[in-house]
Amino acid sequence: MSMPVAPTPLTDAELRLLQALVYQECGMHFDERRTDFLQDRLQRRLRECQLDSFYSYYRLLISDQGKQELSRLVENLTVNETSFFRNKAQLDLFHRLILDDVLRHKQERHDYSLRIWSAGCSTGQEPYTLAMLVCDALAYYYLRHSIPSPTVSPRPMIPPPWKVEILASDINYSVLRAAQEARYGETQMQSVDYSYRLRYFDKVGDRYAVKPGIKDLVHFDFHNLKTEYLPQRNDIIFCRNVMMYFDQAEQQRLVEKFYRCLNADGYLFVGHAETLRGLSEKFSLIHHNSGTAYQRDEVIA
Ligand SMILES: C[S@@+](CC[C@H](N)C(=O)[O-])C[C@H]1O[C@@H](n2cnc3c(N)ncnc32)[C@H](O)[C@@H]1O
């Protein structure tokens, strides 16, 4: 019988050094409630690297050879919980009111491009949900405005001349790989009703594969929200259940970056437990039933 391995002692000073390094790298803040989680993940990485002290692990992380280990550590620290159609009330607001408004304003200006960014997309359920909702919203929009829809068969998911781009990004390469694969099991599909399953998924063995027409709308990329170089010119940004792992200063910086990454009058969606209150005065709150979103305020010169 193998004996359990005793944890390597972690001093307060080492913990603080590692906490500060993680914060500097990706903005994640580990307060007292999450220190046990951090310690557990650090112990795992230390064993994996076969090092005997946290100070040597810290030295590795800050060295040139330690870059790969640093991203592995960050991957071990991210919480990747997600689901299709997460926060239905908010998606209802997005689908029925906001998308409709954005499409109408764009059409008036003969601008047929729509760009949405899912920042912190995890395994892809959020951006694929958005892609399905955009397809439905465009089909419904054309139905109501009796604009001749294309006669080509099969009808494209996005009616020309519209161009829809959904950028989905994360800091964790393994979730990005799973998202790109776009195959989900029955448990992950629980929140997807049958009309969506039938229209937007193919059954492959015991898994559901996102149909190519939806998959092609979503482009996945690595982006660390801590950095300054983030995707620009978005009409709508979804960043849900990501900011909650940052401290207030980092949240403030991120919201300011989102302001700059949005087009005029653009919209920002944050998680159910997140708010811009106390972080920024450059957005107006919109709510409908229990769904909320924020719209970028424009400065009138
Ligand atoms: C809880 S998941 C949220 C997924 C999805 N937005 C949702 O609400 O269902 C949080 C995601 O944010 C990502 N994340 C955390 N810190 C990040 C950072 N600094 N830059 C980019 N993504 C980050 C994590 O890797 C994780 O996949």
Side-chain angles (χ1 to χ4, degrees), residues 26 78-82 86 120 126 170 223-225 240-241:
C26 66
T78 59
V79 174
N80 307 115
E81 186 189 328
T82 187
R86 188 174 192 179
E126 179 176 273
D170 206 281
H223 280 290
N224 179 354
L225 294 171
R240 303 191 300 170
N241 309 300

Side-chain angles (χ1 to χ4, degrees), residues 255-273:
V255 171
E256 182 58 36
K257 287 186 251 181
F258 283 152
Y259 185 87
R260 284 185 260 122
C261 290
L262 277 170
N263 290 335
D265 298 314
Y267 294 89
L268 172 63
F269 289 80
V270 299
H272 187 58

Side-chain angles (χ1 to χ4, degrees), residues 228 230 243 249-262 268 276 279-283 296:
E228 289 302 320
L230 294 174
M243 279 201 319
E250 200 54 51
Q251 292 180 1
Q252 232 153 7
R253 281 192 284 273
L254 184 58
V255 171
E256 182 58 36
K257 287 186 251 181
F258 283 152
Y259 185 87
R260 284 185 260 122
C261 290
L262 277 170
L268 172 63
L276 298 201
L279 297 180
S280 171
E281 305 211 324
K282 294 172 154 185
F283 290 85
R296 194 185 119 128

Side-chain angles (χ1 to χ4, degrees), residues 78-95:
T78 59
V79 174
N80 307 115
E81 186 189 328
T82 187
S83 55
F84 284 108
F85 297 94
R86 188 174 192 179
N87 191 345
K88 287 225 166 68
Q90 190 182 42
L91 292 176
D92 223 45
L93 166 66
F94 163 69
H95 183 201

Side-chain angles (χ1 to χ4, degrees), residues 25-28 78-83 86 118-123 126 169-172 175 223-226 238-242 245-246:
E25 179 63 19
C26 66
M28 272 191 278
T78 59
V79 174
N80 307 115
E81 186 189 328
T82 187
S83 55
R86 188 174 192 179
S118 161
C121 65
S122 188
T123 38
E126 179 176 273
S169 68
D170 206 281
I171 199 175
N172 183 327
V175 295
H223 280 290
N224 179 354
L225 294 171
K226 174 84 184 180
F238 274 76
C239 183
R240 303 191 300 170
N241 309 300
V242 180
Y245 300 107
F246 298 176

Side-chain angles (χ1 to χ4, degrees), residues 124-143:
Q125 287 91 327
E126 179 176 273
Y128 290 133
T129 299
L130 301 178
M132 293 185 268
L133 292 175
V134 169
C135 287
D136 278 6
L138 272 168
Y140 188 51
Y141 182 83
Y142 273 62
L143 207 67

